[in-house]
Amino acid sequence: NTAGRIHLDGSEQDFIDYDYLVVGLGAETNLELAEGAKEFALPFNTLDDVRELEQRLQDIEDEGRSVSVAVVGGGAGGVELAASVADRLQSTMGDASKGAVKLYVGGSDVMEDFAEDAREVAREALEKKGIEVLTNQRVEKVAAEEGEGKQGKYSVTVSTKGQSDPLEVSYDLVLWTAGQKATPLAGLSPSAEVKTPMTIEPTLRVTDREREFALGDIAGMQFPATAQVAMQQADYCAWNLFASINSEPMLNFRYQHLGKLTTLGSLAGTATLNLPGVGEVTLKGPVASALRKLAYVYRMPTNQQRLKVGSEWLQNPEMWVPPELPKDIKDLEKLNPFVGAPNLDKLFDEKEVKDALQGLYERIQAERGKRV
């Protein structure tokens, strides 16, 4: 007897029976936040989205005209995307005046869930790249305009907090990163309706479904919607699957915030690390960028993938070596990776250290289950 069945593409004939199920479909960009966004704005979630953006930029560049790009969303995703697009336009066009990138932020600052030090570094990087950051802006509508050549233009209607009259601006591309929603889940039987995000127990088991687990953005737990949370949940989920099959006690998920990383260019970024007994320490520049790359490689599923990605990066010196090496002490100071001074007040805090060790122990237990 199986625990349930998944129907593929809504078909009654194509299905997979399962004894245990793990749901980790993640989230998708919410294009329903503004009229016309679903039809005319480009999300940045999948490989197809990347290819579509690459093709659109290439078509505009081939025409030799200037490019105007609107990026909607001031979170880490929007900031990273705006920085990457600005770098791309600078590289391919050579003339900064031919590429304009504007970042629309709904709140009062970029990356509002990051430490102030990291936000400061991000603001400075965006300004240096010539990206105009527009805060307290809500995009209400995206519409198509008649355009010349292969690419049309798009009008963006924006309202500013505290002002009554919306403003309409024209762009070649509108990239959307604002808002996330859980991926819809269909085709799961028994036939009880399954809503997303799913309601789960502290063990990551789906409520009222004994052999089903959920993790990541689709799991209805009050944690940040980040890859870091999902990866930590994966360790616990693997252990709890093993424990459930073998009638062992399961572990309640315990999130350990390790820090936050962003990429602001090939050799720029922020890395806010949460160090037990010290607190948050923010790094910037090439050091932060290298930490982001190392974390990315480390989290690859297999050694073969780690080797492939790492070797490709090593073959591109511009991803690791600054274009200009420091010539004197003043230049060397620019490579200082620290933003502010770390707070050492918690260094000898017994509770802080104890909690960190307890979390480490539970992670080790979960890793054991993952390997078994």
Side-chain angles (χ1 to χ4, degrees), residues 53-227:
L53 174 57
E54 170 72 24
Q55 187 59 55
R56 290 198 191 183
L57 286 173
Q58 188 64 56
D59 288 343
I60 296 173
E61 291 164 357
D62 288 345
E63 294 177 6
R65 59 187 177 88
S66 59
V67 185
S68 58
V69 180
V71 179
V72 183
V79 169
E80 291 182 336
L81 180 58
S84 296
V85 170
D87 286 346
R88 155 69 187 258
L89 296 178
Q90 175 66 28
S91 173
T92 56
M93 295 190 164
D95 184 356
S97 64
K98 287 190 173 183
V101 180
K102 292 187 179 182
L103 178 63
Y104 287 94
V105 182
S108 59
D109 200 359
V110 296
M111 304 190 329
E112 289 186 327
D113 57 337
F114 279 65
E116 171 57 31
D117 287 342
R119 298 202 301 271
E120 180 183 346
V121 173
R123 290 193 298 267
E124 291 176 356
L126 294 173
E127 182 180 0
K128 187 176 180 181
K129 294 175 185 294
I131 299 169
E132 185 177 358
V133 179
L134 303 168
T135 57
N136 296 312
Q137 307 276 317
R138 182 177 181 274
V139 175
E140 297 181 346
K141 181 180 179 180
V142 182
E145 297 178 351
E146 291 185 5
E148 300 177 356
K150 297 180 181 178
Q151 296 290 323
K153 280 185 170 286
Y154 303 92
S155 65
V156 175
T157 304
V158 185
S159 62
T160 304
K161 188 176 181 180
Q163 298 182 12
S164 57
D165 297 329
L167 179 67
E168 190 172 300
V169 190
S170 181
Y171 292 99
D172 294 292
L173 279 175
V174 180
L175 309 180
W176 196 280
T177 68
Q180 298 284 313
K181 64 178 181 178
T183 303
L185 180 64
L188 184 64
S189 61
S191 58
E193 182 180 1
V194 179
K195 296 181 179 180
T196 56
M198 305 176 79
T199 304
I200 62 175
E201 301 170 358
T203 58
L204 305 179
R205 185 164 58 186
V206 179
T207 303
D208 298 327
R209 289 177 174 262
E210 187 175 346
R211 293 190 176 189
E212 296 169 11
F213 294 80
L215 53 83
D217 297 340
I218 203 168
M221 297 183 78
Q222 299 303 310
F223 295 106
T226 64

Side-chain angles (χ1 to χ4, degrees), residues 112-349:
E112 289 186 327
D113 57 337
F114 279 65
E116 171 57 31
D117 287 342
R119 298 202 301 271
E120 180 183 346
V121 173
R123 290 193 298 267
E124 291 176 356
L126 294 173
E127 182 180 0
K128 187 176 180 181
K129 294 175 185 294
I131 299 169
E132 185 177 358
V133 179
L134 303 168
T135 57
N136 296 312
Q137 307 276 317
R138 182 177 181 274
V139 175
E140 297 181 346
K141 181 180 179 180
V142 182
E145 297 178 351
E146 291 185 5
E148 300 177 356
K150 297 180 181 178
Q151 296 290 323
K153 280 185 170 286
Y154 303 92
S155 65
V156 175
T157 304
V158 185
S159 62
T160 304
K161 188 176 181 180
Q163 298 182 12
S164 57
D165 297 329
L167 179 67
E168 190 172 300
V169 190
S170 181
Y171 292 99
D172 294 292
L173 279 175
V174 180
L175 309 180
W176 196 280
T177 68
Q180 298 284 313
K181 64 178 181 178
T183 303
L185 180 64
L188 184 64
S189 61
S191 58
E193 182 180 1
V194 179
K195 296 181 179 180
T196 56
M198 305 176 79
T199 304
I200 62 175
E201 301 170 358
T203 58
L204 305 179
R205 185 164 58 186
V206 179
T207 303
D208 298 327
R209 289 177 174 262
E210 187 175 346
R211 293 190 176 189
E212 296 169 11
F213 294 80
L215 53 83
D217 297 340
I218 203 168
M221 297 183 78
Q222 299 303 310
F223 295 106
T226 64
Q228 180 182 171
V229 172
M231 288 173 178
Q232 291 187 27
Q233 286 178 332
D235 294 337
Y236 281 82
C237 187
W239 167 262
N240 287 340
L241 272 172
F242 170 81
S244 179
I245 294 170
N246 293 279
S247 301
E248 297 277 352
M250 292 194 290
L251 293 173
N252 289 342
F253 175 63
R254 180 188 177 99
Y255 173 57
Q256 275 194 302
H257 178 62
L258 303 177
K260 293 184 177 181
L261 306 171
T262 60
T263 299
L264 300 170
S266 60
L267 283 170
T270 69
T272 301
L273 308 179
N274 190 31
L275 305 179
V278 176
E280 289 189 336
V281 176
T282 299
L283 306 176
K284 64 179 180 178
V287 172
S289 177
L291 285 174
R292 174 68 176 85
K293 293 181 178 74
L294 291 173
Y296 182 85
V297 171
Y298 172 73
R299 280 301 185 178
M300 286 283 170
T302 67
N303 287 332
Q304 182 180 4
Q305 289 171 305
R306 295 186 187 105
L307 182 61
K308 181 180 179 181
V309 173
S311 61
E312 288 178 355
W313 283 350
L314 289 174
Q315 291 173 20
N316 294 282
E318 64 272 12
M319 298 189 68
W320 296 94
V321 182
E324 294 184 6
L325 297 176
K327 300 176 181 177
D328 51 35
I329 296 296
K330 199 168 185 179
D331 283 346
L332 194 59
E333 288 177 353
K334 296 178 183 178
L335 298 181
N336 175 23
F338 292 99
V339 182
N343 181 6
L344 302 180
D345 292 342
K346 300 179 181 179
L347 186 57
F348 299 105
D349 189 320

